[in-house]
């Protein structure tokens, strides 16, 4: 019992180790070589640790932003960022293990549904499953669920979405690709369907219709095609404008000896760095 308790309390409570063990199990079931199993397991462990580090960076930056926003506009701001929610869930709420197990359970139940129902869709967008596992775990936690019940409820909801989203989008995907060989695995599918409906109603018709892909940005705006630079272009003005509304006296308390505007600028850059690190993980 001592060994079992040690494993439960000290190993399975660590989200990165749990995810790594899940990856190792998957590789073993695929009968991969010893080298591939070791490599895949360690890369998963490192990747999840990098993801956690990125989440922590984002949370730190957003904590600062929340303070200056509240002071500057005299209202409680809420930032709907899944990255920050993921970081807070793992670091502040201690839900890393539950998120990891829900992540595994969603994938397993998705396979079961695809095997025994007419919806043959396997959701392979890993980061999207992680976000869904995070959301279902956080919602379940605040609804009072704990332990295995929390994981099973999150598993059921996540797996249903994982198989339903590709299914509802497939008619559009089939029209675009001309086959059923691939499907769209994303939890923003309802929004995509709305966009497809708008395009069908108001878009150009016929063989000569234009695509957004044909648009060429001016040379001096090409940097906006880089995801991280685009985020920076948005976040830097947002932080600086907000800190100006917060005022120097309050903002200086947060920035210490550093100029409060420069500190806000660097915090915006920190947010972008956090996104970069998180996605790298």
């Amino acid at each position: 019992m001592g060994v079992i308790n040690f494993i439960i309390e000290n190993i399975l409570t660590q989200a990165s180790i749990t995810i790594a063990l899940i990856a190792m199990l998957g590789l073993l079931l695929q009968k991969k070589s010893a080298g591939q199993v070791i490599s895949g397991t360690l890369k998963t462990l490192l990747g999840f640790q990098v993801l956690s580090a990125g989440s922590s960076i984002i949370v730190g930056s957003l904590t600062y932003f929340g303070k200056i926003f509240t002071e500057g506009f005299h209202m409680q701001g809420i930032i709907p960022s899944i990255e920050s929610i993921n970081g807070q869930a793992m670091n502040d709420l201690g839900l890393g293990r539950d998120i990891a197990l829900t992540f595994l359970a969603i994938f397993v139940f998705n396979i079961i549904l695809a095997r025994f129902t007419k919806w043959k869709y396997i959701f392979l967008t890993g980061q999207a499953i992680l976000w869904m596992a995070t959301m279902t775990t956080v919602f379940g936690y605040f609804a009072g669920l704990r332990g295995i019940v929390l994981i099973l409820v999150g598993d059921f909801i996540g797996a249903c979405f994982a198989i339903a989203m590709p299914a509802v989008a497939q008619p559009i995907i089939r029209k675009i690709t001309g086959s059923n060989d691939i499907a769209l695995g994303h939890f923003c599918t309802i929004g995509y369907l709305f966009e497809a409906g708008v395009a069908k109603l108001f878009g150009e018709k016929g063989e000569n219709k234009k695509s957004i892909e044909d648009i060429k940005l001016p040379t001096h705006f090409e940097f906006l095609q880089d995801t991280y630079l685009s985020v920076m272009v948005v976040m830097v003005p947002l932080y600086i404008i907000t800190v100006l509304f917060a005022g120097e006296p309050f903002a200086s308390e947060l920035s210490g000896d550093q100029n409060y505007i420069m500190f806000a600028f660097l915090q915006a850059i920190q947010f972008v760095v956090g996104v970069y690190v998180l996605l790298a993980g």
Side-chain angles (χ1 to χ4, degrees), residues 23-222:
M24 182 178 69
L25 177 61
L27 292 167
L28 290 173
L29 291 175
Q30 294 178 67
K31 299 180 180 179
K32 298 293 184 181
S33 66
Q36 289 175 312
V37 171
I38 294 172
S39 175
T41 302
L42 293 180
K43 284 182 178 179
T44 302
L45 176 63
L46 293 174
F48 201 87
Q49 288 284 45
V50 171
L51 185 149
S52 299
S55 298
S56 298
I57 295 172
I58 291 173
V59 169
S61 176
L62 290 179
T63 299
Y64 165 79
F65 181 77
K67 291 178 180 178
I68 60 174
F69 184 90
T70 301
E71 176 67 20
F73 299 104
H74 304 291
M75 61 179 69
Q76 185 66 43
I78 297 176
I79 302 173
S81 166
I82 185 62
E83 290 85 1
S84 63
I85 293 173
N86 180 264
Q88 288 185 316
M90 291 194 296
N91 299 324
D92 298 342
L93 299 178
L95 294 176
R97 181 196 61 174
D98 298 299
I99 291 172
L101 292 175
T102 302
F103 176 91
L104 170 64
I106 288 174
F107 187 70
V108 170
F109 195 55
N110 181 193
I111 294 175
I112 293 173
L113 287 175
R115 174 66 179 83
F116 294 104
T117 69
K118 65 179 181 179
W119 297 290
K120 308 300 181 183
Y121 300 99
I122 303 296
F123 202 101
L124 297 177
T125 313
Q127 74 274 19
I129 296 180
L130 177 60
W131 303 151
M132 177 57 74
T134 300
M135 294 302 297
T136 55
T137 301
V138 170
F139 275 109
Y141 177 83
F142 282 106
L145 303 180
R146 298 292 186 273
I148 189 65
V149 176
L150 174 62
I151 294 168
L152 290 177
V153 170
D155 154 39
F156 177 76
I157 295 173
C160 288
F161 270 94
I163 207 165
M165 293 297 98
V168 297
Q170 195 57 23
I172 303 296
I173 300 301
R174 188 187 306 116
K175 185 175 181 179
I176 295 172
T177 63
S179 71
N180 279 319
D181 293 340
I182 62 171
L184 175 64
H186 208 279
F187 292 119
C188 295
T189 302
I190 301 301
Y192 302 151
L193 291 177
F194 176 78
E195 293 173 6
V198 171
K200 185 174 182 179
L201 289 174
F202 302 104
E204 295 179 333
K205 308 293 191 298
E207 295 294 329
N208 297 322
K209 61 184 178 182
K210 297 178 181 179
S211 170
I212 190 69
E213 301 295 334
D214 299 327
I215 296 178
K216 300 296 183 182
L217 289 174
T219 305
H220 48 281
F221 285 132
E222 286 183 349

Side-chain angles (χ1 to χ4, degrees), residues 65 68-69 73 79 232-244 264 268:
F65 181 77
I68 60 174
F69 184 90
F73 299 104
I79 302 173
M232 187 184 301
V233 167
V234 173
M235 299 308 294
V236 168
L238 184 62
Y239 272 63
I240 291 179
I241 291 172
T242 303
V243 81
L244 290 175

